[in-house]
Amino acid sequence: MVDTLSSSIEYMNFDGDRAAEVGYRLPADPYWLAPPQGSVVPLWHQGGAPNYQPKPMICKHVQDPIKAWHRETPVHKRSSQKGLIKTLADANECRPRIRIFSCSAGVNAGKMAHRLHAKLQRLVHEVDDPYEIEREKALNQLDLAAAGPEDIILIIASTTGRGEIPRNAKTFVQRYESADPLQQSPPRFSCFANGDSTYGDSYNAAGKTIQQLMTKMGCRPLLGHCFAGDTALHNPDWESFTHWLENIDHLILGNHYKIDLPTCLTDMQEKTTTLSEMPTATLVRMQRQDPNGLLHITLDIGDKQYEEMDHIKILAPNPDHEVEGALAALKLSPNHEFDWHHQPAKGFLSRHAELDHCFKRLDWYPGFDQLPAERQAALKAAKARDVLADAKDISYDAALVERVCKDMASIVPRLYSVASSPVIFNRDAIQEEESGNLVDIIVKVNPGGRFSEAFLLNTKLGAQMRFSLTSPDTWKMIQMQKPTAPFIAICTGSGIGPVRALLQRRMVDLERTTGEAGRPRAAKMTSAGMGAGTSSVYSSSRRGSVSSVGSGPRRGAKAINHHAHLGVASTRGSVSLFAGFKKEDGDLIQQIIHPASQAGIFDVVELCPSNERKVRVQDHLMWPHVREQLGRKLKDPSCIVFVCANDSAADGSVANLNEILGGDIKELLGERYVEEIFRG
């Protein structure tokens, strides 16, 4: 079952991709396809506005919209925007173009492309606009034949999976990988590869492929090679992005910077985190409230430090029995030294090779080309450990062992959000003597999951794993707001993890600003209908708490607050939480939110366990008593919205918040709208 908004977006994406390929859209009336939500659904906007629909906002503008646009839009942005006002001279002016394209399975490449467009607009305007800056597009929309010799193409490419090309670049790669080089003067280009060095041999694979493809087509590289970013430490890697932009600015517009170009894609020196450099974490605690529920684990990460919105990437070793089987098949001793790798045989097979994944090529397998097609397909799909177990009769020499090992896929890290505040751990002094910094993680156990099931469910406390920490710029943005800023958190499943870290930090911040966080509220925390479909936890606030089940708002005690700000009259009632989860995780959710509820952090808590009525957590946003309170909070210029959920819940939340606010929530809040979407 798919919700109407997700279905509409899927149709839009399919129709848009098809229109780009064949030149026309599907012969369907958008108004017959659009669900009842009307203009909230993007599909609605593909049709003409029928008479019964409301007028656009521009018709309700109190002032003349053209004059308002002139007054509110900077001059350098007016010259690059199409529509509204265009002089005849501008329309006939033919300037070379700087064209921006991106490809990614996530959002970082698109975010970087958007920032690149804004920065180039400003830089070009400072030198009298020698170039027209086109808005960013997906790489699939790049037509090299339509590019002029003076045009400049800038590409930001992220890699997905194990080195695969993202979906929004596959059509471009397929179109030109077998095409002949351009006959006329080709354009200039530069490619920024936004990858993660902990992914080993697949690091920036998409960027390398696109760079080579553009060069093969005869396009002229500005920098001579693909410029590498590394998200192993910072995601996005704005430092490398800025360095790349300075190079582009220097080469195109002549602005002077201290340019220090890396010699190749992988020459990242200290910024690159190789697999061998990753530190080791120790499992010190593991808790599971229900056999089918989420896992709550604690890791000792030594002297490494982290912040509340950081991500932790974990590389769990292969199980010992799988390593022993691979050693026996290759006829190697555990301490056998390789002359091509720094680890002995057991270390390599345990910490670097992905035995649970298929081989990359199998060109080392004796007589592979002579095997029947079905047998070849079976070997290509089989796990590496199974292929080795089936090929025990092969006579291995040192050269063949090297080929076999290098044909194995590298272990891919699993990414999680930290679920604890380091301030809480340090303040409560719960560490044992000689222990390091502790970090909590909430893990969803996926069937067949390499880390969640194969490792965690079969290991003991004290087990070790390699890890690395990355620091998104999200936490810096949140810190820019005051500690008591209104906060709306929407999460599903393991998305409660980063919310838990933020709640812990909010309790510490409230104690620092008011000295009240350690004194629980007198209001009773209750929960109703956990098995009936929806539930709420009540906690007092200035206007009373919000209830999903019962007779409506209830009055609570009023706290004196000298840090009051706009819609938030108490530092205690500043967080609104909406959490969706499976029934078996109900106890864990209650355990997570109980301390914050007792401290009076919440003004609204809406809990939505799985239910037969298919009520989803995003539906709670539209309940009348909740909607009214959210509307007041969203008008606060410091309000932050944090969504950590699956794509369906995230899309539904956006649509409902748009309706509450009466506009595009992401555009109106800008960086104060933080979204982390997980799939699978």
Side-chain angles (χ1 to χ4, degrees), residues 275-285 297-306 311-317 351 414 416 418 435-441 451 455-456 459-469:
L275 297 178
S276 60
E277 295 171 347
M278 294 179 69
T280 299
T282 303
L283 180 65
V284 298
R285 187 186 307 159
I297 67 173
T298 303
L299 301 177
D300 184 335
I301 58 174
D303 60 354
K304 299 299 180 181
Q305 297 182 349
Y306 67 97
H311 296 154
I312 182 168
K313 283 177 282 192
I314 297 176
L315 285 128
R351 300 169 54 132
R414 271 56 176 180
Y416 297 93
V418 302
S435 68
N437 295 323
L438 303 178
V439 59
D440 284 349
I441 309 171
F451 174 67
F455 180 75
L456 283 180
T459 194
K460 298 179 180 178
L461 297 183
Q464 294 187 330
M465 65 211 77
R466 287 174 298 159
F467 76 97
S468 68
L469 292 164

Side-chain angles (χ1 to χ4, degrees), residues 361-420:
R361 291 179 297 274
L362 280 173
D363 54 357
W364 56 269
Y365 195 94
F368 182 80
D369 294 336
Q370 284 71 46
L371 294 175
E374 292 183 0
R375 176 61 175 163
Q376 290 185 11
L379 287 173
K380 288 181 178 178
K383 298 177 180 179
R385 54 183 170 85
D386 295 333
V387 174
L388 293 176
D390 188 54
K392 288 183 178 180
D393 296 335
I394 296 177
S395 178
Y396 294 97
D397 56 19
L400 183 57
V401 168
E402 180 178 351
R403 292 177 63 192
V404 171
C405 292
K406 290 184 176 180
D407 195 34
M408 295 178 182
S410 300
I411 292 179
V412 173
R414 271 56 176 180
L415 183 69
Y416 297 93
S417 297
V418 302
S420 57

Side-chain angles (χ1 to χ4, degrees), residues 69-70 72-87 89-97 117-118 120-135:
W69 178 79
H70 262 296
E72 297 169 4
T73 306
V75 176
H76 73 274
K77 287 190 176 182
R78 296 183 210 165
S79 61
S80 63
Q81 291 179 356
K82 296 181 179 179
L84 290 183
I85 295 179
K86 268 282 188 180
T87 64
D90 287 336
N92 294 330
E93 184 180 13
C94 184
R95 294 177 294 168
R97 298 170 295 173
H117 175 265
L120 284 176
Q121 274 190 319
R122 179 179 56 80
L123 293 171
V124 166
H125 180 68
E126 290 174 354
V127 290
D128 298 328
D129 299 303
Y131 291 93
E132 178 184 351
I133 311 298
E134 292 190 353
R135 293 203 66 86

Side-chain angles (χ1 to χ4, degrees), residues 382-666:
K383 298 177 180 179
R385 54 183 170 85
D386 295 333
V387 174
L388 293 176
D390 188 54
K392 288 183 178 180
D393 296 335
I394 296 177
S395 178
Y396 294 97
D397 56 19
L400 183 57
V401 168
E402 180 178 351
R403 292 177 63 192
V404 171
C405 292
K406 290 184 176 180
D407 195 34
M408 295 178 182
S410 300
I411 292 179
V412 173
R414 271 56 176 180
L415 183 69
Y416 297 93
S417 297
V418 302
S420 57
S421 169
V423 182
I424 288 286
F425 275 140
N426 293 335
R427 187 193 66 176
D428 293 347
I430 67 171
Q431 299 100 320
E432 297 178 1
E433 188 177 357
E434 298 183 356
S435 68
N437 295 323
L438 303 178
V439 59
D440 284 349
I441 309 171
I442 304 296
V443 179
K444 176 187 176 182
V445 179
N446 294 309
R450 187 182 181 282
F451 174 67
S452 61
E453 184 179 68
F455 180 75
L456 283 180
L457 296 188
N458 296 283
T459 194
K460 298 179 180 178
L461 297 183
Q464 294 187 330
M465 65 211 77
R466 287 174 298 159
F467 76 97
S468 68
L469 292 164
T470 59
S471 300
D473 51 4
T474 306
W475 179 241
K476 295 180 182 177
M477 184 281 301
I478 293 178
Q479 283 185 311
M480 290 174 61
Q481 309 299 325
K482 60 177 188 161
T484 57
F487 197 92
I488 300 171
I490 305 168
C491 63
T492 60
S494 58
I496 193 67
V499 173
R500 178 178 184 262
L502 291 168
L503 290 177
Q504 289 183 349
R505 182 55 182 258
R506 182 57 63 100
M507 285 191 291
V508 172
D509 288 339
L510 289 178
E511 184 175 18
R512 289 172 175 173
T513 56
T514 67
E516 296 177 343
R519 298 196 298 271
R521 296 294 294 266
K524 180 181 179 182
M525 185 184 74
T526 63
S527 179
M530 289 292 291
T534 57
S535 65
S536 281
V537 174
Y538 310 118
S539 61
S540 299
S541 73
R542 178 177 64 92
R543 299 184 59 86
S545 63
V546 175
S547 164
S548 300
V549 180
S551 58
R554 303 188 305 180
R555 291 290 177 184
K558 194 170 183 178
I560 299 175
N561 172 29
H562 300 289
H563 300 267
H565 180 66
L566 295 179
V568 180
S570 172
T571 54
R572 291 193 167 209
S574 57
V575 177
S576 301
L577 174 63
F578 300 82
F581 52 92
K582 295 182 178 180
K583 288 182 180 179
E584 50 265 32
D585 294 319
D587 289 342
L588 175 62
I589 300 299
Q590 293 280 10
Q591 179 183 336
I592 287 174
I593 68 175
H594 180 77
S597 181
Q598 287 294 93
I601 298 294
F602 300 119
D603 62 347
V604 176
V605 177
E606 293 288 332
L607 301 184
C608 183
S610 54
N611 57 89
E612 295 179 356
R613 290 184 289 166
K614 301 298 181 183
V615 176
R616 299 295 179 242
V617 65
Q618 59 268 28
D619 300 330
H620 289 228
L621 300 172
M622 301 303 294
W623 292 4
H625 46 285
V626 176
R627 176 173 178 166
E628 178 186 355
Q629 195 146 334
L630 292 183
R632 289 193 297 270
K633 295 187 75 166
L634 288 170
K635 293 177 182 178
D636 190 306
S638 64
C639 180
I640 300 168
V641 176
F642 175 60
V643 179
C644 188
N646 57 57
D647 48 5
S648 176
D651 292 340
S653 299
V654 169
N656 289 338
L657 290 173
N658 286 349
E659 185 172 343
I660 292 173
L661 196 57
D664 189 329
I665 184 75
K666 293 184 178 181

